Amino acid sequence: MGKQRIFSGIQATGSLHLGNYLGAIRNWVKMQVEYDNYFCVVDLHTITVPQDPQILRANIREVAGFLFAAGIAEENSVVFIQSHVKAHSELAWLLNCITPMGWLQRMIQFKEKSEKQKEDVSVGLYNYPVLQAADILLYDTNLVPVGEDQKQHVELCRDIAQRFNYRYGEIFVLPDVYIPPIGGRVMGLSNPDKKMSKSEEKKDEAIFLLDSPEEIRLKIQRATTDSLREICFDDKRSGINNLLTIYQLLTEKTREQIEEHFVGKSYKDLKEELAEVIIGSLHPIQERYREITEEKGYLDKMLNRGAERAGDYAERKLQMILKHIGLR
Ligand code: TYM
């Protein structure tokens, strides 16, 4: 039996944060040896909201560079840019034609994002999950490792695949979602009741993967906690719970070991230690990222090879789909 296949994607919005790393990228790195993997910088998803062309171009490279810096390796994984493989857009159209509008109206992310943009909302943002389904289904994906916020999109992808198979025959593999038992939803630092995300208004909300040690210390020092004293995991105390969870994810200690370690210590002690743990964990990735971006031509070479490998697979699959629909 061959290896099972993983597909996952990440937007090119720039400034990846600790949520992206702990909820997704780090698991991709850990799982990659056991699976056959495709990791995609989804630039076509990124343009569903307005982007400055020059900044977008730089962000696409930054995110791709980070995947390699974090430890995604060519021996195990294909890393590529979505718009370099045309079959993604083409399959998205074919899937659009069988996806009921009502299914998309239920998508939580669309509701949240469209509320912010009001009447400027694009059709692309609305059928964003159909393009995501195309990404996954083109590669006969078995498993999609993502953070919790993507669960609904992967479930929709399964529904679309099932509907397609019912109409045209067994063409698509039904993918399962993988959400890490811990870290599937890393919360914001200043507002720990919301997931960590890039926010224009609140710069302290997220730790970015390129943050300097000083920035990390300051952000953690300012993170919202509560007026209690005891340092323990407790869902009802979202601030302290989030800090401890990040600590747990990065040190890989058990909850008991961590609680015991902090007996008699203050929030200040926890924050100081946590900041150093984060700095220590990000340091090697930041170093490698600098090496990658300084080596002329390296990233282009890797991404060209990735697009070729992904393109071969996707094009073959697409031809087969076109035949089943009656377009060839
Ligand atoms: P994106 O770019 O928003 O996020 C990339 C990955 O990071 C995870 N993530 C988090 N995990 C834990 N805590 C957080 N605070 C946090 N914030 C983000 C996301 O869950 C995701 O796994 N629609 C997708 C991209 C996509 C895709 C795909 C994913 C396009 N096609 C196909 C899987 C398969 C997105 O916007 O992810």
Side-chain angles (χ1 to χ4, degrees):
M1 276 253 304
K3 286 181 177 178
Q4 292 252 308
R5 176 154 312 128
I6 274 182
F7 182 99
S8 203
I10 186 158
Q11 290 207 54
T13 35
S15 306
L16 297 182
H17 52 72
L18 211 50
N20 297 128
Y21 181 61
L22 296 172
I25 302 171
R26 195 174 78 140
N27 304 318
W28 304 350
V29 174
K30 284 186 182 174
M31 295 164 92
Q32 66 179 333
V33 182
E34 213 184 308
Y35 290 86
D36 176 30
N37 316 274
Y38 287 81
F39 298 117
C40 183
V41 180
V42 293
D43 54 350
L44 297 175
H45 280 110
T46 310
I47 60 162
T48 53
V49 295
Q51 303 289 337
D52 174 274
Q54 235 171 330
I55 297 174
L56 175 64
R57 211 170 283 125
N59 284 344
I60 293 169
R61 295 178 68 79
E62 183 178 315
V63 173
F66 253 113
L67 296 185
F68 292 116
I72 303 286
E74 225 191 8
E75 306 89 85
N76 309 306
S77 307
V78 178
V79 176
F80 68 104
I81 311 295
Q82 188 184 33
S83 69
H84 293 182
V85 178
K86 303 276 183 275
H88 289 245
S89 314
E90 201 169 337
L91 179 58
W93 178 257
L94 303 175
L95 298 180
N96 271 334
C97 297
I98 65 140
T99 305
M101 299 245 296
W103 288 7
L104 295 180
Q105 271 151 8
R106 288 199 288 273
M107 293 297 111
I108 297 164
Q109 279 218 328
F110 175 72
K111 286 186 200 159
E112 284 171 1
K113 285 192 189 170
S114 57
E115 229 160 68
K116 280 189 211 143
Q117 292 190 42
K118 302 269 170 348
E119 60 270 21
D120 263 352
V121 176
S122 67
V123 176
L125 191 67
Y126 181 68
N127 73 0
Y128 176 116
V130 178
L131 178 59
Q132 182 160 349
D135 298 339
I136 297 167
L137 297 177
L138 265 180
Y139 298 92
D140 298 316
T141 303
N142 304 105
L143 198 62
V144 186
V146 281
E148 227 169 78
D149 61 343
Q150 295 302 314
K151 186 165 178 257
Q152 199 187 27
H153 286 167
V154 182
E155 283 166 358
L156 178 84
C157 169
R158 256 183 97 90
D159 291 342
I160 294 175
Q162 240 161 351
R163 194 174 165 94
F164 198 96
N165 285 353
Y166 183 73
R167 197 171 289 185
Y168 296 111
E170 289 299 309
I171 297 162
F172 292 131
V173 172
L174 301 187
D176 286 314
V177 67
Y178 171 85
I179 294 169
I182 313 168
R185 193 175 180 81
V186 176
M187 308 309 277
L189 296 177
S190 42
N191 183 357
D193 294 318
K194 280 199 164 157
K195 73 168 183 194
M196 182 179 282
S197 61
K198 188 181 167 192
S199 156
E200 292 308 327
E201 309 90 57
K202 284 191 177 169
K203 299 280 182 222
D204 287 351
E205 193 62 353
I207 301 272
F208 297 113
L209 302 186
L210 273 180
D211 276 350
S212 67
E214 293 70 38
E215 283 168 312
I216 294 172
R217 287 190 191 105
L218 201 65
K219 285 181 184 177
I220 294 294
Q221 192 193 324
R222 288 189 185 149
T224 303
T225 50
D226 51 45
S227 55
L228 300 172
R229 281 225 178 129
E230 201 191 349
I231 299 179
C232 61
F233 287 89
D234 181 352
D235 288 344
K236 286 183 230 64
R237 293 163 60 194
S238 53
I240 209 74
N241 202 60
N242 189 38
L243 297 184
L244 283 171
T245 303
I246 296 172
Y247 186 91
Q248 181 186 12
L249 285 160
L250 292 175
T251 59
E252 303 198 335
K253 291 188 176 147
T254 65
R255 287 182 166 210
E256 292 73 34
Q257 285 170 331
I258 294 167
E259 286 178 348
E260 200 175 315
H261 175 74
F262 284 111
V263 169
K265 294 192 182 165
S266 66
Y267 284 180
K268 184 164 169 281
D269 297 326
L270 165 64
K271 285 180 164 181
E272 280 173 7
E273 249 192 73
L274 175 61
E276 296 316 308
V277 166
I278 297 172
I279 293 165
S281 305
L282 294 186
H283 180 73
I285 303 175
Q286 294 177 342
E287 286 284 288
R288 180 84 190 106
Y289 177 75
R290 282 190 191 106
E291 282 167 24
I292 285 173
T293 42
E294 276 162 23
E295 190 179 328
K296 218 169 166 271
Y298 177 83
L299 201 53
D300 287 322
K301 182 183 75 190
M302 299 295 275
L303 292 174
N304 286 339
R305 284 213 292 253
E308 216 172 288
R309 287 166 74 191
D312 282 349
Y313 197 98
E315 195 48 46
R316 254 182 290 135
K317 184 79 189 176
L318 182 68
Q319 290 307 320
M320 175 205 165
I321 297 164
L322 289 169
K323 259 198 206 135
H324 276 83
I325 296 179
L327 294 168
R328 288 288 181 282

